[in-house]
Amino acid sequence: MVSKVEHRDRTGCPIACALDIIGDHWTLLIIRNLMFLGLHEYKEMLETEEQISSNILTIRLKMLQQAGLIASASHPESKRRKLYYLTPTGKDLVHVMVPLVLWSRRNLREHLRIPNDIDHLLETDPQAFLQETLQRLSDWEDNNLKSLV
Amino acid sequence: MVSKVEHRDRTGCPIACALDIIGDHWTLLIIRNLMFLGLHEYKEMLETEEQISSNILTIRLKMLQQAGLIASASHPESKRRKLYYLTPTGKDLVHVMVPLVLWSRRNLREHLRIPNDIDHLLETDPQAFLQETLQRLSDWEDNNLKSLV
DNA sequence: GAATAATACTTCTATTATAGAAGTAAGTTA
DNA sequence: TAACTTACTTCTATAATAGAAGTATTATTC
């Protein structure tokens, strides 16, 4: 069905088309890194617990840029560093990612290690968690991309 | 990271743990078949547009049963047929699947072919679409699993 | 009641993707 | 200017997938 890593149109089904982009072992972890963990650099993503291979990380970052979910900019502090960040389309996945976290929390409880404060917020006010996430991304953009100043 | 198709605990991250189950090209399509398309048999799933291989379908159905997202029962009309259906954990994914459909609708518009009536409902009242989906699943169970009668 | 067909798999092989190790090129620091 | 960092690239072995073909059980047709 899907040959090569590249995104191909499948069948017009909204689930199938979404999976052409995010339906593999690594892509949503990269989205997670950018959305929840504040990891915006190649090197940081290489160092996460899940231990992605450098070649796979490169391929996925390129694919996500082509698909329009992420973009990159050069690091203000160094030309050899690069910053990756979510585009509006990528950020819009927050409405899928937060429900996925909530599903895991309800159904895979025993396997999870969620920081207490976040777990409590997910329990009491998941919408607030979503809004905080978007606010954090917006703040990061203000601090790191508006280098026009 | 993930060797073999089997689910392995990863890191305690709710996204990573969820991806150990649903993070591949095919698994969410099987969930879609059961949740939205009313396909409950092996043969029906082989015949979808996406053309899954029979060996992969078998492996995924077994994995999903072990993970507790689906279950199976023998078909009331024939011993050689088998019915697959979503467990409560599987049905709970409706809260991820509907947002994923909505994300696709907002961001991949040009690639999609969504039936007009459903598209309109997604536009005007997505919560109603979600409730209708759950009701349909419940009705199906009443008609097909309560063969105690 | 024997031959045919349908259903849910299983097996096999070729192709493709991934993991892991090692290297490279450009920019930075000591 | 020598060592180091960062973001890749390349290579090879292993694992997963696609596609074709087969099997076992149950049902249907003649």
Side-chain angles (χ1 to χ4, degrees):
Chain A
M1 163 187 81
V2 177
S3 66
K4 305 288 166 63
V5 172
E6 291 142 35
H7 168 42
R8 270 209 262 157
D9 292 283
R10 213 179 317 207
T11 62
C13 165
I15 298 289
C17 287
L19 290 177
D20 279 342
I21 302 175
I22 60 163
D24 76 283
H25 296 298
W26 290 113
T27 302
L28 279 188
L29 287 180
I30 293 173
I31 301 290
R32 174 205 65 175
N33 292 343
L34 293 166
M35 189 175 280
F36 299 121
L37 302 186
L39 307 180
H40 293 270
E41 293 185 52
Y42 186 87
K43 197 199 169 212
E44 294 175 316
M45 299 201 200
L46 274 185
E47 289 167 350
T48 57
E49 284 184 305
E50 292 87 9
Q51 308 242 59
I52 189 170
S53 289
S54 59
N55 52 355
I56 305 297
L57 179 55
T58 299
I59 290 168
R60 288 298 184 283
L61 287 170
K62 277 184 186 156
M63 181 275 288
L64 281 169
Q65 284 178 279
Q66 286 199 322
L69 275 70
I70 70 173
S72 63
S74 71
H75 196 289
E77 288 176 15
S78 165
K79 278 186 186 170
R80 78 182 166 204
R81 292 163 75 184
K82 219 167 170 180
L83 290 173
Y84 292 96
Y85 59 95
L86 295 164
T87 62
T89 293
K91 281 187 282 190
D92 195 29
L93 273 176
V94 73
H95 298 104
V96 177
M97 298 294 274
V98 171
L100 185 58
V101 169
L102 294 169
W103 178 84
S104 290
R105 206 177 155 282
R106 287 191 297 270
N107 295 282
L108 310 175
R109 289 207 77 106
E110 59 282 14
H111 303 272
L112 307 184
R113 290 185 280 98
I114 304 177
N116 280 343
D117 52 337
I118 293 177
D119 195 57
H120 182 256
L121 186 56
L122 290 170
E123 172 93 41
T124 56
D125 193 350
Q127 191 58 29
F129 176 73
L130 190 153
Q131 288 304 330
E132 280 184 20
T133 300
L134 289 175
Q135 187 60 52
R136 217 178 342 92
L137 293 173
S138 173
D139 292 346
W140 182 91
E141 287 171 30
D142 291 343
N143 290 329
N144 292 276
L145 298 180
K146 308 287 163 61
S147 36
L148 326 154
V149 189
Chain B
M1 163 187 83
V2 177
S3 66
K4 305 289 166 62
V5 172
E6 293 142 34
H7 167 43
R8 271 208 263 158
D9 292 285
R10 213 179 316 205
T11 62
C13 165
I15 298 290
C17 287
L19 290 177
D20 279 342
I21 302 175
I22 61 164
D24 75 282
H25 297 297
W26 291 112
T27 302
L28 279 187
L29 286 179
I30 294 174
I31 301 290
R32 174 205 66 175
N33 292 343
L34 294 166
M35 189 174 280
F36 299 121
L37 303 186
L39 307 180
H40 291 270
E41 294 186 51
Y42 186 89
K43 196 199 169 213
E44 295 175 316
M45 298 201 202
L46 273 185
E47 290 166 351
T48 58
E49 284 183 305
E50 292 88 8
Q51 308 242 60
I52 189 170
S53 288
S54 60
N55 51 357
I56 305 295
L57 179 55
T58 300
I59 289 169
R60 288 297 184 285
L61 287 170
K62 279 185 184 154
M63 181 275 287
L64 281 169
Q65 285 178 277
Q66 287 199 323
L69 274 69
I70 71 174
S72 63
S74 72
H75 196 289
E77 288 176 16
S78 166
K79 280 186 185 170
R80 78 183 167 203
R81 292 164 74 186
K82 218 168 170 179
L83 290 173
Y84 292 95
Y85 59 95
L86 295 165
T87 61
T89 293
K91 281 187 282 190
D92 194 29
L93 272 176
V94 73
H95 297 104
V96 177
M97 298 294 275
V98 171
L100 185 58
V101 170
L102 294 170
W103 178 84
S104 290
R105 205 176 157 283
R106 286 191 299 268
N107 295 281
L108 311 173
R109 289 205 77 106
E110 60 282 13
H111 303 273
L112 306 184
R113 290 184 281 96
I114 304 178
N116 279 344
D117 51 339
I118 292 177
D119 195 58
H120 182 256
L121 186 55
L122 290 171
E123 172 95 41
T124 56
D125 194 349
Q127 191 58 29
F129 176 72
L130 190 154
Q131 289 303 329
E132 279 184 20
T133 299
L134 289 175
Q135 187 60 51
R136 219 177 341 93
L137 293 173
S138 172
D139 291 348
W140 182 92
E141 288 171 28
D142 291 344
N143 290 330
N144 293 276
L145 299 180
K146 308 287 161 66
S147 34
L148 327 153
V149 190

